[in-house]
Amino acid sequence: MDTLDSLTPKAVVEELDKYIIGQQKAKRAVAVALRNRTRRLKLPDDVRDEIAPKNILMIGPTGVGKTEIARRLAKLGGAPFLKVEATKYTEVGYVGRDVESMIRDLMAVGYAMVKTEMQASLRAEAEKRTEEALLDLLLPGMKHKRTGASSSGAVSEGAVSEGAVSEGADKQIGTSLILQSEPSPSESGTREKFRTMLREGKLEDRIVEIDVQKQGMPSFEVFAGSSNIEDLEMSVANITNLITGGRSKRKSVTVREARELLIMEQLDKIVDHDRVAEEARRRVEQTGIVFIDEIDKIATRGERASGQDVSREGVQRDILPIVEGSSVNTKYGVVDTTHILFIAAGAFTLSKPSDLIPELQGRFPLRVELDSLHAEDFYRILKEPKNALLKQYTELLGTEGVTISFSEDAILRMSDLAAEVNSRMENIGARRLHTIMEMLLEEISFNASEMSGQHIDIDRTYVDDRLKGIVQDQDLSRYIL
Protein backbone atom coordinates (compact mmCIF):
# COMPACT_ATOMS: atom_id res chain seq x y z
CA MET A 1 0.00 0.00 0.00
CA ASP A 2 2.91 2.34 0.72
CA THR A 3 4.09 1.98 -2.87
CA LEU A 4 0.60 2.66 -4.19
CA ASP A 5 0.20 5.69 -1.90
CA SER A 6 3.26 7.30 -3.48
CA LEU A 7 1.84 6.85 -6.98
CA THR A 8 -0.05 10.09 -7.39
CA PRO A 9 -1.42 10.75 -10.88
CA LYS A 10 1.46 13.16 -11.54
CA ALA A 11 3.99 10.56 -10.39
CA VAL A 12 2.42 7.94 -12.66
CA VAL A 13 2.56 10.24 -15.69
CA GLU A 14 6.19 11.10 -14.91
CA GLU A 15 7.08 7.40 -14.80
CA LEU A 16 5.23 6.69 -18.04
CA ASP A 17 7.04 9.62 -19.68
CA LYS A 18 10.33 7.75 -19.16
CA TYR A 19 9.25 5.09 -21.63
CA ILE A 20 6.44 6.51 -23.76
CA ILE A 21 6.60 9.65 -25.85
CA GLY A 22 3.50 11.85 -26.08
CA GLN A 23 -0.03 10.52 -25.56
CA GLN A 24 -0.64 12.73 -22.53
CA LYS A 25 -4.43 12.23 -22.59
CA ALA A 26 -4.09 8.48 -22.35
CA LYS A 27 -1.45 8.72 -19.63
CA ARG A 28 -3.63 11.02 -17.53
CA ALA A 29 -6.63 8.71 -17.92
CA VAL A 30 -4.79 5.58 -16.77
CA ALA A 31 -3.05 7.52 -13.98
CA VAL A 32 -6.40 8.59 -12.55
CA ALA A 33 -7.79 5.07 -12.95
CA LEU A 34 -4.85 3.65 -10.96
CA ARG A 35 -5.20 6.29 -8.26
CA ASN A 36 -8.92 5.62 -7.91
CA ARG A 37 -8.14 1.98 -7.19
CA THR A 38 -5.84 3.08 -4.36
CA ARG A 39 -8.49 5.44 -3.02
CA ARG A 40 -11.11 2.72 -3.15
CA LEU A 41 -9.05 0.32 -1.01
CA LYS A 42 -9.04 2.89 1.82
CA LEU A 43 -12.84 3.10 2.01
CA PRO A 44 -15.10 1.14 4.38
CA ASP A 45 -16.22 -2.21 3.02
CA ASP A 46 -19.83 -1.16 2.40
CA VAL A 47 -18.75 1.84 0.32
CA ARG A 48 -15.86 0.05 -1.37
CA ASP A 49 -18.08 -2.66 -2.82
CA GLU A 50 -20.28 -0.08 -4.54
CA ILE A 51 -17.44 1.58 -6.47
CA ALA A 52 -16.78 -0.10 -9.80
CA PRO A 53 -13.62 0.52 -11.83
CA LYS A 54 -13.90 2.96 -14.74
CA ASN A 55 -12.82 0.79 -17.65
CA ILE A 56 -10.94 2.48 -20.47
CA LEU A 57 -11.20 2.16 -24.25
CA MET A 58 -8.07 3.31 -26.09
CA ILE A 59 -8.54 4.26 -29.72
CA GLY A 60 -5.57 4.78 -31.99
CA PRO A 61 -3.44 3.28 -34.77
CA THR A 62 -0.99 0.50 -34.10
CA GLY A 63 2.42 1.32 -32.69
CA VAL A 64 1.50 4.51 -30.82
CA GLY A 65 1.87 3.14 -27.28
CA LYS A 66 -1.47 1.60 -26.26
CA THR A 67 -0.04 -1.70 -25.07
CA GLU A 68 3.06 -0.13 -23.57
CA ILE A 69 0.99 2.28 -21.46
CA ALA A 70 -1.04 -0.58 -19.96
CA ARG A 71 2.02 -2.76 -19.38
CA ARG A 72 4.00 -0.02 -17.66
CA LEU A 73 0.96 0.90 -15.58
CA ALA A 74 0.71 -2.63 -14.21
CA LYS A 75 4.42 -2.65 -13.33
CA LEU A 76 4.08 0.64 -11.46
CA GLY A 77 1.21 -0.61 -9.35
CA GLY A 78 2.64 -4.08 -8.79
CA ALA A 79 -0.70 -5.42 -9.99
CA PRO A 80 -1.43 -8.75 -11.70
CA PHE A 81 -1.54 -7.86 -15.40
CA LEU A 82 -2.61 -9.85 -18.44
CA LYS A 83 -2.61 -8.86 -22.09
CA VAL A 84 -4.91 -10.79 -24.41
CA GLU A 85 -6.11 -10.43 -27.99
CA ALA A 86 -9.86 -10.41 -28.47
CA THR A 87 -9.48 -12.39 -31.69
CA LYS A 88 -8.22 -15.50 -29.88
CA TYR A 89 -11.59 -16.10 -28.21
CA THR A 90 -14.64 -17.74 -29.68
CA GLU A 91 -18.30 -17.82 -28.78
CA VAL A 92 -19.35 -20.54 -26.35
CA GLY A 93 -20.12 -23.69 -28.31
CA TYR A 94 -17.31 -23.21 -30.83
CA VAL A 95 -13.84 -24.74 -30.76
CA GLY A 96 -11.37 -22.29 -29.25
CA ARG A 97 -10.65 -20.45 -26.03
CA ASP A 98 -13.60 -19.25 -23.99
CA VAL A 99 -13.49 -15.73 -22.56
CA GLU A 100 -13.38 -16.98 -18.95
CA SER A 101 -9.88 -18.31 -19.64
CA MET A 102 -8.56 -14.73 -19.49
CA ILE A 103 -9.51 -14.62 -15.80
CA ARG A 104 -7.94 -18.02 -15.20
CA ASP A 105 -4.78 -16.80 -16.88
CA LEU A 106 -4.84 -13.60 -14.81
CA MET A 107 -5.21 -15.65 -11.64
CA ALA A 108 -2.21 -17.76 -12.67
CA VAL A 109 -0.20 -14.55 -13.10
CA GLY A 110 -1.29 -13.34 -9.67
CA TYR A 111 -0.47 -16.69 -8.06
CA ALA A 112 3.02 -16.72 -9.57
CA MET A 113 3.59 -13.12 -8.42
CA VAL A 114 2.57 -13.77 -4.81
CA LYS A 115 4.40 -17.10 -4.68
CA THR A 116 7.63 -15.43 -5.81
CA GLU A 117 7.27 -12.75 -3.14
CA MET A 118 6.62 -15.27 -0.37
CA GLN A 119 9.46 -17.53 -1.48
CA ALA A 120 11.87 -14.59 -1.36
CA SER A 121 11.13 -14.19 2.35
CA LEU A 122 11.68 -17.94 2.93
CA ARG A 123 14.88 -18.30 0.93
CA ALA A 124 17.16 -18.25 3.99
CA GLU A 125 15.30 -21.24 5.50
CA ALA A 126 15.37 -23.05 2.14
CA GLU A 127 19.14 -22.51 1.83
CA LYS A 128 19.66 -23.89 5.33
CA ARG A 129 17.70 -27.04 4.51
CA THR A 130 19.45 -27.38 1.17
CA GLU A 131 22.85 -27.29 2.86
CA GLU A 132 21.87 -30.22 5.08
CA ALA A 133 20.51 -32.11 2.06
CA LEU A 134 23.76 -31.58 0.15
CA LEU A 135 25.78 -32.84 3.12
CA ASP A 136 23.56 -35.93 3.20
CA LEU A 137 24.41 -36.56 -0.46
CA LEU A 138 28.13 -35.98 0.06
CA LEU A 139 28.30 -38.04 3.29
CA PRO A 140 25.81 -40.89 2.85
CA GLY A 141 27.19 -42.81 5.84
CA MET A 142 26.37 -39.90 8.14
CA LYS A 143 22.98 -39.06 6.68
CA HIS A 144 20.54 -37.30 9.00
CA LYS A 145 17.45 -39.37 9.76
CA ARG A 146 14.15 -37.74 8.94
CA THR A 147 10.91 -38.33 10.73
CA GLY A 148 8.27 -39.56 8.35
CA ALA A 149 10.77 -40.28 5.57
CA SER A 150 10.83 -43.60 3.82
CA SER A 151 14.06 -45.53 4.32
CA SER A 152 13.78 -46.92 0.80
CA GLY A 153 14.51 -43.47 -0.54
CA ALA A 154 17.76 -43.10 1.42
CA VAL A 155 21.02 -42.33 -0.32
CA SER A 156 22.94 -45.48 -1.20
CA GLU A 157 26.11 -46.23 0.72
CA GLY A 158 29.39 -45.53 -1.03
CA ALA A 159 32.69 -43.76 -0.59
CA VAL A 160 33.40 -40.29 -1.96
CA SER A 161 36.34 -40.60 -4.33
CA GLU A 162 38.04 -38.61 -7.07
CA GLY A 163 35.65 -35.70 -6.72
CA ALA A 164 32.58 -37.66 -7.78
CA VAL A 165 29.62 -38.84 -5.75
CA SER A 166 26.70 -40.77 -7.22
CA GLU A 167 23.95 -41.19 -4.67
CA GLY A 168 20.16 -41.38 -4.91
CA ALA A 169 18.51 -38.52 -3.15
CA ASP A 170 15.88 -38.99 -0.53
CA LYS A 171 12.57 -38.38 -2.26
CA GLN A 172 11.43 -36.57 0.81
CA ILE A 173 14.16 -33.91 0.75
CA GLY A 174 12.57 -30.85 2.27
CA THR A 175 10.94 -32.48 5.30
CA SER A 176 12.17 -31.31 8.68
CA LEU A 177 15.65 -32.58 9.48
CA ILE A 178 15.54 -34.08 12.96
CA LEU A 179 18.35 -36.19 14.43
CA GLN A 180 17.07 -39.41 15.95
CA SER A 181 20.43 -40.29 17.50
CA GLU A 182 23.52 -38.35 18.46
CA PRO A 183 26.36 -38.65 15.94
CA SER A 184 29.78 -39.74 17.12
CA PRO A 185 32.41 -37.00 17.59
CA SER A 186 34.31 -38.20 14.50
CA GLU A 187 31.16 -38.17 12.35
CA SER A 188 30.22 -34.74 13.62
CA GLY A 189 33.71 -33.42 12.92
CA THR A 190 33.75 -34.82 9.39
CA ARG A 191 30.35 -33.32 8.66
CA GLU A 192 31.47 -29.92 9.89
CA LYS A 193 34.62 -30.11 7.75
CA PHE A 194 32.50 -30.84 4.71
CA ARG A 195 30.14 -28.03 5.70
CA THR A 196 33.08 -25.61 5.76
CA MET A 197 34.32 -26.85 2.38
CA LEU A 198 30.81 -26.54 0.98
CA ARG A 199 30.45 -22.96 2.17
CA GLU A 200 33.88 -22.07 0.79
CA GLY A 201 32.88 -23.38 -2.64
CA LYS A 202 35.43 -26.22 -2.74
CA LEU A 203 32.88 -28.91 -3.56
CA GLU A 204 30.99 -27.10 -6.34
CA ASP A 205 32.15 -29.50 -9.09
CA ARG A 206 31.41 -32.75 -7.23
CA ILE A 207 28.78 -34.89 -8.94
CA VAL A 208 25.69 -36.02 -7.05
CA GLU A 209 22.60 -37.88 -8.16
CA ILE A 210 19.26 -36.50 -7.04
CA ASP A 211 15.58 -37.15 -7.64
CA VAL A 212 14.06 -33.88 -8.83
CA GLN A 213 10.36 -33.44 -8.20
CA LYS A 214 8.52 -31.84 -11.11
CA GLN A 215 6.96 -28.55 -10.05
CA GLY A 216 3.33 -27.58 -10.17
CA MET A 217 0.05 -29.42 -10.14
CA PRO A 218 -1.97 -30.59 -13.15
CA SER A 219 -4.45 -28.10 -14.48
CA PHE A 220 -7.92 -29.61 -14.06
CA GLU A 221 -9.71 -26.31 -14.66
CA VAL A 222 -9.91 -26.74 -18.42
CA PHE A 223 -12.47 -29.50 -18.01
CA ALA A 224 -14.87 -26.96 -16.51
CA GLY A 225 -15.86 -25.57 -19.89
CA SER A 226 -12.76 -24.93 -21.97
CA SER A 227 -12.76 -26.57 -25.38
CA ASN A 228 -9.15 -25.74 -26.11
CA ILE A 229 -7.57 -28.96 -27.38
CA GLU A 230 -4.04 -27.99 -26.35
CA ASP A 231 -5.12 -27.34 -22.75
CA LEU A 232 -6.94 -30.68 -22.63
CA GLU A 233 -3.90 -32.54 -23.92
CA MET A 234 -1.66 -30.91 -21.31
CA SER A 235 -4.08 -31.84 -18.53
CA VAL A 236 -4.31 -35.45 -19.67
CA ALA A 237 -0.49 -35.62 -19.82
CA ASN A 238 -0.22 -34.25 -16.27
CA ILE A 239 -2.77 -36.73 -14.93
CA THR A 240 -0.96 -39.58 -16.69
CA ASN A 241 2.29 -38.52 -15.03
CA LEU A 242 0.62 -38.68 -11.62
CA ILE A 243 -0.81 -42.15 -12.25
CA THR A 244 2.40 -43.60 -13.70
CA GLY A 245 4.67 -41.98 -11.15
CA GLY A 246 6.20 -39.62 -13.66
CA ARG A 247 6.39 -36.77 -11.19
CA SER A 248 10.10 -37.17 -10.46
CA LYS A 249 13.25 -37.58 -12.48
CA ARG A 250 16.72 -38.71 -11.45
CA LYS A 251 19.53 -36.44 -12.55
CA SER A 252 23.31 -36.47 -12.16
CA VAL A 253 24.40 -32.91 -11.56
CA THR A 254 27.17 -30.92 -9.92
CA VAL A 255 26.78 -29.64 -6.39
CA ARG A 256 26.43 -26.14 -7.84
CA GLU A 257 23.49 -27.23 -9.99
CA ALA A 258 21.99 -29.41 -7.26
CA ARG A 259 21.94 -26.48 -4.85
CA GLU A 260 19.66 -24.42 -7.11
CA LEU A 261 17.40 -27.37 -7.88
CA LEU A 262 17.06 -28.25 -4.21
CA ILE A 263 16.47 -24.65 -3.18
CA MET A 264 13.60 -24.38 -5.65
CA GLU A 265 12.18 -27.68 -4.42
CA GLN A 266 12.50 -26.59 -0.80
CA LEU A 267 10.84 -23.26 -1.51
CA ASP A 268 7.93 -25.00 -3.20
CA LYS A 269 7.51 -27.25 -0.14
CA ILE A 270 7.78 -24.73 2.67
CA VAL A 271 5.59 -22.04 1.13
CA ASP A 272 1.97 -22.06 2.25
CA HIS A 273 0.13 -22.66 -1.03
CA ASP A 274 -3.30 -22.01 0.47
CA ARG A 275 -2.12 -18.65 1.75
CA VAL A 276 -0.57 -17.85 -1.63
CA ALA A 277 -3.81 -18.68 -3.42
CA GLU A 278 -5.86 -16.57 -1.00
CA GLU A 279 -3.60 -13.53 -1.32
CA ALA A 280 -3.38 -13.94 -5.10
CA ARG A 281 -7.17 -14.07 -5.36
CA ARG A 282 -7.52 -10.95 -3.23
CA ARG A 283 -4.92 -9.11 -5.29
CA VAL A 284 -6.46 -10.14 -8.60
CA GLU A 285 -9.95 -9.11 -7.50
CA GLN A 286 -8.90 -5.76 -6.06
CA THR A 287 -6.01 -4.62 -8.29
CA GLY A 288 -5.96 -6.92 -11.34
CA ILE A 289 -5.73 -5.39 -14.82
CA VAL A 290 -6.75 -7.08 -18.08
CA PHE A 291 -5.69 -5.44 -21.34
CA ILE A 292 -7.87 -6.59 -24.25
CA ASP A 293 -6.15 -5.70 -27.50
CA GLU A 294 -7.65 -5.74 -30.99
CA ILE A 295 -11.16 -5.33 -29.66
CA ASP A 296 -12.06 -3.58 -32.91
CA LYS A 297 -11.60 -6.91 -34.72
CA ILE A 298 -14.69 -8.35 -33.01
CA ALA A 299 -16.86 -5.29 -33.75
CA THR A 300 -19.71 -5.92 -36.18
CA ARG A 301 -19.88 -3.54 -39.11
CA GLY A 302 -23.21 -2.09 -40.12
CA GLU A 303 -26.70 -2.69 -38.76
CA ARG A 304 -27.17 -6.25 -39.98
CA ALA A 305 -24.80 -8.96 -38.90
CA SER A 306 -24.46 -12.28 -40.67
CA GLY A 307 -21.93 -15.08 -40.99
CA GLN A 308 -18.65 -14.20 -39.38
CA ASP A 309 -20.13 -11.03 -37.86
CA VAL A 310 -22.50 -13.17 -35.81
CA SER A 311 -19.54 -14.97 -34.25
CA ARG A 312 -17.87 -11.63 -33.46
CA GLU A 313 -21.01 -10.42 -31.73
CA GLY A 314 -21.16 -13.68 -29.81
CA VAL A 315 -17.67 -13.08 -28.42
CA GLN A 316 -18.72 -9.58 -27.35
CA ARG A 317 -21.72 -10.99 -25.51
CA ASP A 318 -19.51 -13.55 -23.78
CA ILE A 319 -17.04 -10.84 -22.72
CA LEU A 320 -19.85 -8.65 -21.37
CA PRO A 321 -20.59 -10.58 -18.12
CA ILE A 322 -16.86 -10.82 -17.36
CA VAL A 323 -16.49 -7.04 -17.63
CA GLU A 324 -19.75 -6.39 -15.78
CA GLY A 325 -18.74 -8.63 -12.92
CA SER A 326 -19.20 -12.36 -12.53
CA SER A 327 -17.72 -15.33 -10.68
CA VAL A 328 -15.20 -17.44 -12.58
CA ASN A 329 -13.99 -20.85 -11.41
CA THR A 330 -10.21 -21.28 -11.41
CA LYS A 331 -7.99 -23.96 -9.91
CA TYR A 332 -7.08 -21.45 -7.20
CA GLY A 333 -10.68 -20.71 -6.24
CA VAL A 334 -13.60 -18.62 -7.45
CA VAL A 335 -12.63 -15.14 -8.67
CA ASP A 336 -15.05 -12.22 -8.68
CA THR A 337 -14.36 -9.96 -11.68
CA THR A 338 -16.47 -7.01 -10.46
CA HIS A 339 -13.51 -4.81 -9.52
CA ILE A 340 -10.94 -5.93 -12.08
CA LEU A 341 -9.87 -3.04 -14.32
CA PHE A 342 -10.35 -3.72 -18.03
CA ILE A 343 -8.49 -1.66 -20.62
CA ALA A 344 -9.52 -2.32 -24.21
CA ALA A 345 -7.70 -1.04 -27.27
CA GLY A 346 -8.14 -1.03 -31.01
CA ALA A 347 -7.17 0.87 -34.13
CA PHE A 348 -10.81 1.02 -35.37
CA THR A 349 -9.70 1.60 -38.95
CA LEU A 350 -12.38 -0.63 -40.54
CA SER A 351 -14.91 -0.23 -37.77
CA LYS A 352 -15.77 2.29 -35.08
CA PRO A 353 -16.48 2.05 -31.34
CA SER A 354 -20.20 2.39 -31.97
CA ASP A 355 -20.06 -0.91 -33.88
CA LEU A 356 -19.58 -2.70 -30.57
CA ILE A 357 -22.78 -3.89 -28.93
CA PRO A 358 -24.29 -1.10 -26.79
CA GLU A 359 -23.99 -3.04 -23.54
CA LEU A 360 -20.25 -3.51 -24.02
CA GLN A 361 -19.77 0.13 -25.01
CA GLY A 362 -21.38 1.15 -21.74
CA ARG A 363 -18.88 -0.92 -19.77
CA PHE A 364 -16.00 1.19 -21.14
CA PRO A 365 -17.13 4.67 -20.12
CA LEU A 366 -13.70 6.31 -20.53
CA ARG A 367 -12.60 6.70 -24.14
CA VAL A 368 -9.17 8.00 -24.96
CA GLU A 369 -7.98 8.74 -28.48
CA LEU A 370 -4.25 8.33 -29.02
CA ASP A 371 -2.50 10.53 -31.56
CA SER A 372 -0.64 9.33 -34.63
CA LEU A 373 3.12 9.72 -34.44
CA HIS A 374 5.02 12.24 -36.57
CA ALA A 375 8.67 12.90 -37.37
CA GLU A 376 9.15 14.95 -34.17
CA ASP A 377 7.79 12.05 -32.11
CA PHE A 378 10.08 9.55 -33.85
CA TYR A 379 13.06 11.79 -33.10
CA ARG A 380 12.19 11.79 -29.40
CA ILE A 381 11.48 8.04 -29.39
CA LEU A 382 14.94 7.37 -30.78
CA LYS A 383 16.67 9.46 -28.11
CA GLU A 384 14.69 10.15 -24.95
CA PRO A 385 13.11 7.03 -23.35
CA LYS A 386 15.09 4.94 -20.87
CA ASN A 387 14.84 2.09 -23.37
CA ALA A 388 15.46 4.28 -26.44
CA LEU A 389 16.31 2.41 -29.63
CA LEU A 390 19.64 4.21 -30.10
CA LYS A 391 20.70 3.13 -26.60
CA GLN A 392 19.63 -0.45 -27.25
CA TYR A 393 21.63 -0.83 -30.45
CA THR A 394 24.65 0.97 -29.00
CA GLU A 395 24.70 -1.43 -26.05
CA LEU A 396 24.17 -4.49 -28.25
CA LEU A 397 27.09 -3.68 -30.54
CA GLY A 398 29.18 -2.63 -27.54
CA THR A 399 29.20 -6.28 -26.42
CA GLU A 400 31.30 -6.99 -29.55
CA GLY A 401 33.67 -4.13 -28.81
CA VAL A 402 32.17 -1.94 -31.55
CA THR A 403 31.36 1.68 -30.67
CA ILE A 404 28.77 3.55 -32.72
CA SER A 405 27.61 7.14 -32.42
CA PHE A 406 24.77 8.93 -34.18
CA SER A 407 24.93 12.55 -35.33
CA GLU A 408 21.92 14.83 -34.95
CA ASP A 409 21.34 15.03 -38.69
CA ALA A 410 21.37 11.22 -38.90
CA ILE A 411 18.68 10.95 -36.21
CA LEU A 412 16.60 13.62 -37.91
CA ARG A 413 16.92 11.81 -41.24
CA MET A 414 15.81 8.49 -39.76
CA SER A 415 12.83 10.20 -38.13
CA ASP A 416 11.80 11.82 -41.40
CA LEU A 417 12.10 8.53 -43.27
CA ALA A 418 9.96 6.69 -40.72
CA ALA A 419 7.25 9.35 -40.95
CA GLU A 420 7.41 9.36 -44.77
CA VAL A 421 7.09 5.60 -45.07
CA ASN A 422 4.20 5.50 -42.60
CA SER A 423 2.38 8.16 -44.63
CA ARG A 424 2.82 6.27 -47.89
CA MET A 425 2.01 2.78 -46.58
CA GLU A 426 0.35 1.23 -43.59
CA ASN A 427 0.89 3.40 -40.53
CA ILE A 428 2.53 1.03 -38.04
CA GLY A 429 3.68 3.81 -35.76
CA ALA A 430 6.93 3.49 -33.81
CA ARG A 431 7.43 -0.08 -34.99
CA ARG A 432 8.63 1.42 -38.26
CA LEU A 433 11.75 2.58 -36.44
CA HIS A 434 12.74 -1.02 -35.70
CA THR A 435 12.82 -1.78 -39.42
CA ILE A 436 14.75 1.42 -40.16
CA MET A 437 17.35 0.61 -37.49
CA GLU A 438 17.77 -3.00 -38.58
CA MET A 439 18.34 -2.03 -42.22
CA LEU A 440 20.67 0.79 -41.24
CA LEU A 441 22.91 -1.37 -39.04
CA GLU A 442 22.58 -4.68 -40.87
CA GLU A 443 26.12 -4.72 -42.26
CA ILE A 444 27.69 -3.58 -38.98
CA SER A 445 25.72 -6.17 -36.99
CA PHE A 446 26.73 -8.92 -39.43
CA ASN A 447 30.45 -8.11 -39.27
CA ALA A 448 30.62 -6.85 -35.66
CA SER A 449 32.57 -9.89 -34.42
CA GLU A 450 35.42 -8.93 -36.79
CA MET A 451 35.30 -5.19 -36.02
CA SER A 452 36.24 -5.19 -32.33
CA GLY A 453 37.82 -1.92 -31.22
CA GLN A 454 36.42 0.13 -34.10
CA HIS A 455 34.44 3.35 -33.70
CA ILE A 456 31.82 4.12 -36.34
CA ASP A 457 30.19 7.53 -36.81
CA ILE A 458 26.75 7.39 -38.39
CA ASP A 459 25.79 10.65 -40.10
CA ARG A 460 23.17 11.70 -42.62
CA THR A 461 25.29 10.55 -45.56
CA TYR A 462 25.61 7.07 -44.03
CA VAL A 463 21.85 6.92 -43.51
CA ASP A 464 21.12 7.96 -47.09
CA ASP A 465 23.61 5.43 -48.47
CA ARG A 466 22.21 2.53 -46.48
CA LEU A 467 18.55 3.48 -47.02
CA LYS A 468 18.74 4.96 -50.50
CA GLY A 469 16.49 2.23 -51.87
CA ILE A 470 13.70 3.48 -49.66
CA VAL A 471 14.21 7.07 -50.77
CA GLN A 472 14.28 6.31 -54.51
CA ASP A 473 11.80 3.46 -54.94
CA GLN A 474 8.13 4.29 -54.63
CA ASP A 475 7.20 0.62 -54.17
CA LEU A 476 8.28 0.66 -50.55
CA SER A 477 6.77 -2.72 -49.82
CA ARG A 478 9.81 -4.28 -51.48
CA TYR A 479 11.96 -2.97 -48.68
CA ILE A 480 9.78 -2.50 -45.61
CA LEU A 481 6.99 -4.80 -44.58
Side-chain angles (χ1 to χ4, degrees):
M1 181 64 73
D2 292 339
T3 303
L4 290 175
D5 284 341
S6 64
L7 288 176
T8 64
K10 287 185 179 180
V12 171
V13 172
E14 288 174 0
E15 286 296 317
L16 293 176
D17 283 341
K18 295 178 181 178
Y19 298 95
I20 303 155
I21 298 300
Q23 313 302 357
Q24 293 305 309
K25 290 185 292 185
K27 290 175 183 175
R28 288 171 66 93
V30 297
V32 171
L34 183 63
R35 188 61 173 180
N36 281 338
R37 294 169 78 72
T38 307
R39 293 165 178 160
R40 176 182 165 275
L41 294 176
K42 297 178 179 179
L43 296 172
D45 291 343
D46 56 339
V47 180
R48 180 192 308 169
D49 292 339
E50 297 299 324
I51 299 177
K54 304 302 183 290
N55 298 321
I56 302 170
L57 177 62
M58 293 185 182
I59 305 167
T62 183
V64 297
K66 300 188 297 293
T67 305
E68 190 68 7
I69 287 175
R71 189 168 66 89
R72 295 292 175 183
L73 184 74
K75 282 189 175 183
L76 285 175
F81 173 79
L82 179 72
K83 176 186 179 294
V84 298
E85 285 78 35
T87 52
K88 72 189 295 185
Y89 299 104
T90 61
E91 186 178 357
V92 172
Y94 291 84
V95 175
R97 299 209 74 185
D98 63 286
V99 295
E100 288 189 351
S101 65
M102 73 173 68
I103 304 302
R104 294 195 288 268
D105 292 342
L106 180 66
M107 187 62 196
V109 171
Y111 184 89
M113 178 184 294
V114 175
K115 183 179 178 182
T116 300
E117 293 174 2
M118 289 191 177
Q119 286 182 340
S121 65
L122 297 169
R123 189 171 180 87
E125 173 65 20
E127 289 176 348
K128 180 180 177 181
R129 295 188 181 194
T130 297
E131 182 178 79
E132 297 299 334
L134 287 173
L135 290 172
D136 289 343
L137 294 174
L138 293 166
L139 298 168
M142 304 174 194
K143 187 174 185 294
H144 279 205
K145 305 273 186 166
R146 295 181 180 84
T147 58
S150 171
S151 59
S152 62
V155 177
S156 59
E157 297 291 336
V160 180
S161 62
E162 297 183 10
V165 180
S166 181
E167 271 72 49
D170 188 338
K171 294 181 180 180
Q172 299 299 322
I173 287 176
T175 55
S176 299
L177 301 174
I178 303 175
L179 283 175
Q180 293 183 338
S181 60
E182 287 292 329
S184 67
S186 61
E187 289 179 338
S188 181
T190 302
R191 190 175 182 88
E192 291 308 311
K193 287 180 181 178
F194 267 74
R195 188 189 305 278
T196 301
M197 294 171 65
L198 191 62
R199 291 178 176 178
E200 292 176 351
K202 296 179 179 179
L203 304 176
E204 295 298 285
D205 294 326
R206 294 281 185 100
I207 302 298
V208 293
E209 191 172 276
I210 63 173
D211 286 336
V212 180
Q213 299 295 321
K214 293 183 180 180
Q215 301 298 316
M217 290 295 292
S219 174
F220 297 100
E221 61 181 331
V222 293
F223 292 112
S226 172
S227 56
N228 185 274
I229 301 301
E230 184 179 352
D231 286 345
L232 292 174
E233 289 178 347
M234 290 176 62
S235 293
V236 171
N238 282 331
I239 296 171
T240 302
N241 282 336
L242 278 178
I243 296 173
T244 60
R247 298 293 294 170
S248 64
K249 180 180 180 181
R250 178 161 293 187
K251 298 181 68 175
S252 294
V253 295
T254 64
V255 169
R256 181 184 295 105
E257 295 169 330
R259 179 182 291 104
E260 289 305 314
L261 291 172
L262 291 172
I263 285 176
M264 295 308 298
E265 185 176 343
Q266 293 289 346
L267 286 172
D268 190 62
K269 288 180 178 180
I270 63 180
V271 73
D272 186 341
H273 292 277
D274 290 336
R275 184 182 166 200
V276 171
E278 184 63 30
E279 172 60 21
R281 186 163 62 250
R282 185 200 67 79
R283 197 175 294 189
V284 165
E285 290 180 345
Q286 302 301 326
T287 65
I289 299 174
V290 176
F291 181 80
I292 307 176
D293 203 2
E294 298 181 353
I295 198 168
D296 57 315
K297 303 299 189 300
I298 61 170
T300 55
R301 305 175 187 90
E303 296 182 0
R304 299 184 62 183
S306 60
Q308 195 174 22
D309 286 342
V310 174
S311 179
R312 293 192 185 104
E313 185 172 320
V315 176
Q316 293 183 59
R317 295 194 181 281
D318 287 346
I319 290 177
L320 182 60
I322 303 294
V323 179
E324 285 182 332
S326 60
S327 297
V328 177
N329 287 316
T330 76
K331 64 180 179 181
Y332 304 109
V334 178
V335 176
D336 183 3
T337 68
T338 302
H339 298 289
I340 293 176
L341 176 65
F342 290 87
I343 302 176
F348 289 99
T349 52
L350 300 177
S351 60
K352 50 187 182 295
S354 59
D355 290 331
L356 295 169
I357 60 175
E359 299 90 336
L360 191 59
Q361 292 182 49
R363 284 296 165 178
F364 289 90
L366 301 183
R367 296 188 182 182
V368 182
E369 187 169 352
L370 284 82
D371 303 318
S372 298
L373 300 176
H374 304 288
E376 298 82 4
D377 301 310
F378 292 136
Y379 175 83
R380 295 180 61 197
I381 291 171
L382 285 170
K383 291 187 63 177
E384 295 181 13
K386 288 184 69 174
N387 59 342
L389 280 179
L390 297 185
K391 297 176 185 176
Q392 292 181 29
Y393 281 91
T394 300
E395 294 293 331
L396 281 173
L397 292 173
T399 62
E400 302 272 10
V402 179
T403 305
I404 59 174
S405 60
F406 296 85
S407 65
E408 283 294 309
D409 56 352
I411 302 173
L412 287 169
R413 182 57 176 157
M414 287 187 288
S415 304
D416 291 337
L417 281 174
E420 182 180 351
V421 175
N422 273 347
S423 66
R424 293 183 181 181
M425 296 188 60
E426 288 292 330
N427 186 356
I428 61 173
R431 294 186 177 93
R432 186 72 67 186
L433 291 173
H434 290 273
T435 310
I436 294 282
M437 292 294 296
E438 283 294 329
M439 292 186 64
L440 180 68
L441 301 175
E442 180 182 19
E443 187 172 347
I444 298 175
S445 296
F446 187 82
N447 298 311
S449 58
E450 303 169 3
M451 300 169 62
S452 181
Q454 294 188 30
H455 180 93
I456 302 172
D457 292 314
I458 297 177
D459 54 16
R460 183 186 178 95
T461 302
Y462 185 94
V463 172
D464 286 338
D465 288 342
R466 293 295 304 164
L467 304 178
K468 59 185 178 182
I470 300 176
V471 178
Q472 295 173 355
D473 200 311
Q474 295 298 312
D475 186 11
L476 301 175
S477 60
R478 289 175 54 192
Y479 300 94
I480 295 185
L481 299 177

